[in-house]
Amino acid sequence: MNFLEERILKDGVVKEGNVLKVDSFLNHQIDIALLEQIGEEFKKRFEGKEVTKILTVEASGIGIACIVARYFKVPVLFAKKTQSVNVDGDKYSADVYSYTHKCLNHVFVSKKYLSADDKILIIDDFLANGAALLGLTEIVKKAGATVTGIGIAIEKGFQDGGKIIREKGFPLESIAIVDSMDSASGKITFRKQ
């Protein structure tokens, strides 16, 4: 069992509807020491891959992406969900359905920060159905850039996202893969890696 699986068992909460709450340490209140371990782990897993930027989607992936970026010594770029006066010029965009929030988000990245020369490592906190990752890979493709890897903190292995991403040929590394969870008992089973 790895450090993230141990933390999920200790502090994660399984709720009805296949919801795994890790907001006490990962995506609301953030344990920076844990994020440091995640950053170090992704550095090991993607060692030897050329990475010029880390890409994520707002909001809960940003903290993890920033720590990972320190290990790769590259900037973080995140796809925004809302237009603001600070974002101008041409953008690469994709539509992403959020199963958590039950809505369609139009996410975008400014063209001035993503070019065909970029080698992108996508980082996110969760992978379930794969919609966010498919949107991010679409944005990278529109820019002519290359996805050199995808790093996920927690993958829900009983949902289709991981299978879809792997079948598309993307190098996907998930630190913890949940194979099953039961809201009645709180039991979580992890995939052996």
Side-chain angles (χ1 to χ4, degrees):
M1 182 167 295
N2 70 39
F3 68 94
L4 185 53
E5 293 167 345
E6 288 174 359
R7 186 62 180 270
I8 293 166
L9 289 178
K10 179 178 176 275
D11 294 324
V13 177
V14 180
K15 310 263 298 182
E16 281 192 39
N18 289 326
V19 173
L20 176 59
K21 284 183 59 78
V22 292
D23 61 344
S24 69
F25 60 91
L26 191 65
N27 58 14
H28 190 61
Q29 175 173 270
I30 300 173
D31 180 335
I32 298 301
L34 179 71
L35 261 57
E36 286 289 344
Q37 287 181 283
I38 290 171
E40 187 176 359
E41 182 65 23
F42 282 138
K43 179 64 175 164
K44 286 180 202 168
R45 291 187 185 208
F46 294 104
E47 193 68 47
K49 297 271 189 189
E50 186 180 359
V51 176
T52 61
K53 286 192 175 104
I54 305 292
L55 176 64
T56 193
V57 64
E58 70 176 355
S60 57
I62 295 173
I64 298 169
C66 288
I67 299 296
V68 174
R70 286 181 46 203
Y71 283 88
F72 285 90
K73 298 178 177 35
V74 298
V76 172
L77 178 61
F78 65 91
K80 291 182 165 272
K81 293 179 182 174
T82 55
Q83 180 64 43
S84 71
V85 294
N86 294 331
V87 180
D88 57 358
D90 292 333
K91 302 172 219 38
Y92 299 111
S93 63
D95 288 327
V96 173
Y97 184 77
S98 170
Y99 291 89
T100 305
H101 299 103
K102 308 282 189 255
C103 65
L104 186 67
N105 291 304
H106 185 73
V107 300
F108 61 90
V109 169
S110 174
K111 286 186 176 181
K112 65 183 165 186
Y113 300 123
L114 186 59
S115 74
D117 295 332
D118 281 315
K119 309 291 186 235
I120 303 297
L121 175 57
I122 297 174
I123 297 291
D124 210 354
D125 61 340
F126 267 96
L127 168 56
N129 294 300
L133 288 182
L134 291 173
L136 291 176
T137 61
E138 182 181 333
I139 286 171
V140 173
K141 182 178 180 183
K142 286 178 179 178
T146 305
V147 174
T148 59
I150 298 173
I152 300 296
I154 304 168
E155 177 182 338
K156 291 181 178 176
F158 55 87
Q159 292 184 269
D160 290 334
K163 181 176 183 254
I164 291 166
I165 297 300
R166 288 178 181 96
E167 284 176 354
K168 290 190 172 289
F170 293 109
L172 171 61
E173 290 285 339
S174 299
I175 297 175
I177 301 176
V178 176
D179 266 342
S180 67
M181 53 189 198
D182 181 83
S183 60
S185 67
K187 182 176 165 73
I188 301 169
T189 305
F190 296 101
R191 183 173 301 167
K192 299 267 191 250
Q193 296 192 69

